Amino acid sequence: MKYSILKASSIILIWALAGLNARPQSVVGLHAFPSSLPQSAASWERYTYTGEEFSVELPQMPFVRHTARKVLGSTDEYERARVYGLYNDDVIYMIYAYDEPRNAETLDYFVEEFAARNGAGTLDFVRSVSRNNFTGKQYALKYNDVRSGSFIAFWTAKHAYIVASVGADYSHAAVKRFFDSFTLGGKPAGRTIQMDAVEKRTAAASSAEMKPGAQPGAQQNSTANLALKDGAEALQPREVTRKAVIVYKPEPNFTEEARRNNVTGMVKLRCVLSSTGRVTAVSVIKGLPDGLTETAIRAARHILFFPAIKDDKKVSQWITIEYNFNIY
């Protein structure tokens, strides 16, 4: 399905292993993670999503974030895409699903685009792989002496898929299970990933954070109180040994209302990146009207990161995030 979109000028994907020009002030480079990580006691299940051709096993239900990709060679043509993400036991699991790849958009094109978005690193081809008569490629991503993870790429008639791990590579038992369980087919089996797993919490947080009639850009007392309650144990960046490392920071959508009213500017949020790998509190420092504050909050709720460390323990950390909305 073809459509045009307006984008907010924030970063779509951050891999902290690379040198980044735009990122929140409290994010630093990723340190090496151990190659053998503890297994979660959570029961693994097989998941899929309506309209997809894949199913995969994961220790928990991931979120799904709807986004878009620019068609190769076009100036204003976009196709639908989705990102599925989960943090569990020091590993980040991600699946990128791109709709309707064109003939000119080969599997190598999607691999190169993925690698470019992940920053400057070494992309090593490992081997060819297959799933249900679909052929793909497995790669390793390395940045200097840090082993960052693995990913596999597949191409079908309707989709291109990138399946990625960060924090551990294919030699890790849980990551191997994740990759080996990824299957492709016309009618994938599994538990359907529920979009409202995050969106319901987002809607509740948005209601608490923005009172009806509040002036755009004003600090909301109810929001500050909510954040203080949820982030009572959160530390400031200067108080931790290793700051939280953002791996995926999605770009918020530009609402139709804001487009019609030519609303531009910045939304500034204060968030808690919790020790559990979840964004547990979002407060509005500066907002914008016509749904832009709410869409920024929804984007912030889908951030994937490695928690901060203090005294060899995972801790929660405050972070300030800015989203710039511009009409092009």
Side-chain angles (χ1 to χ4, degrees):
M1 179 177 180
K2 305 176 183 63
Y3 62 100
S4 296
I5 64 171
L6 292 165
K7 291 187 174 181
S9 60
S10 61
I11 303 170
I12 295 178
L13 180 64
I14 298 178
W15 286 59
L17 293 166
L20 302 178
N21 295 322
R23 56 182 174 180
Q25 293 179 356
S26 57
V27 176
V28 297
L30 180 61
H31 293 250
F33 288 90
S35 60
S36 178
L37 302 175
Q39 292 294 310
S40 171
S43 176
W44 285 61
E45 292 188 65
R46 180 166 291 277
Y47 294 96
T48 187
Y49 190 72
T50 304
E52 299 287 13
E53 297 176 88
F54 78 85
S55 70
V56 68
E57 291 184 4
L58 284 164
Q60 299 175 23
M61 180 178 289
F63 68 70
V64 53
R65 171 130 186 119
H66 289 256
T67 181
R69 66 173 185 85
K70 191 173 183 179
V71 175
L72 176 65
S74 70
T75 57
D76 60 355
E77 189 175 6
Y78 291 83
E79 286 289 358
R80 296 186 186 276
R82 289 155 303 286
V83 178
Y84 304 87
L86 170 68
Y87 168 87
N88 184 264
D89 279 348
D90 290 330
V91 180
I92 289 175
Y93 305 90
M94 302 186 76
I95 298 173
Y96 301 78
Y98 307 101
D99 285 358
E100 302 297 334
R102 308 296 197 275
N103 289 335
E105 296 174 320
T106 64
L107 182 61
D108 288 338
Y109 162 74
F110 286 101
V111 168
E112 291 170 3
E113 181 185 54
F114 173 83
R117 284 185 175 183
N118 293 344
T122 302
L123 180 66
D124 294 331
F125 173 77
V126 177
R127 59 173 179 165
S128 296
V129 293
S130 63
R131 298 288 190 278
N132 302 92
N133 298 320
F134 293 100
T135 301
K137 298 179 179 180
Q138 180 178 335
Y139 296 85
L141 282 172
K142 296 181 180 179
Y143 295 82
N144 299 322
D145 295 328
V146 179
R147 179 162 50 189
S148 61
S150 300
F151 76 90
I152 54 176
F154 288 98
W155 170 285
T156 72
K158 298 180 180 179
H159 300 95
Y161 290 112
I162 303 290
V163 187
S165 69
V166 186
D169 62 14
Y170 189 76
S171 64
H172 184 281
V175 172
K176 186 177 186 302
R177 177 172 183 174
F178 168 63
F179 284 129
D180 290 350
S181 71
F182 184 83
T183 62
L184 290 166
K187 295 181 179 180
R191 183 180 174 187
T192 300
I193 298 168
Q194 299 298 315
M195 185 171 62
D196 63 0
V198 169
E199 293 299 327
K200 284 184 176 179
R201 294 196 297 272
T202 301
S206 299
S207 298
E209 289 159 2
M210 294 295 291
K211 292 181 179 179
Q215 293 297 315
Q219 175 85 35
Q220 306 300 316
N221 290 332
S222 61
T223 301
N225 292 336
L226 174 68
L228 287 173
K229 179 181 178 181
D230 288 353
E233 301 300 323
L235 302 177
Q236 298 297 330
R238 65 180 179 274
E239 299 177 300
V240 302
T241 306
R242 191 202 71 205
K243 298 178 178 67
V245 179
I246 292 181
V247 172
Y248 174 68
K249 178 177 178 283
E251 180 176 309
N253 299 320
F254 208 114
T255 66
E256 285 299 313
E257 293 82 0
R259 180 188 63 81
R260 287 195 299 267
N261 294 325
N262 294 315
V263 177
T264 60
M266 179 184 70
V267 172
K268 189 173 183 179
L269 305 175
R270 192 166 185 245
C271 309
V272 170
L273 305 184
S274 76
S275 59
T276 63
R278 303 289 186 271
V279 180
T280 56
V282 180
S283 60
V284 181
I285 299 174
K286 182 179 184 298
L288 289 173
D290 294 336
L292 294 184
T293 296
E294 289 77 8
T295 194
I297 292 171
R298 284 194 290 273
R301 292 282 181 175
H302 288 102
I303 289 174
L304 286 173
F305 62 94
F306 291 103
I309 299 292
K310 183 175 183 179
D311 300 329
D312 296 325
K313 294 182 179 180
K314 299 175 189 174
V315 294
S316 299
Q317 177 201 310
W318 287 102
I319 188 173
T320 300
I321 298 177
E322 297 178 355
Y323 294 104
N324 294 307
F325 290 86
N326 299 289
I327 298 177
Y328 297 101

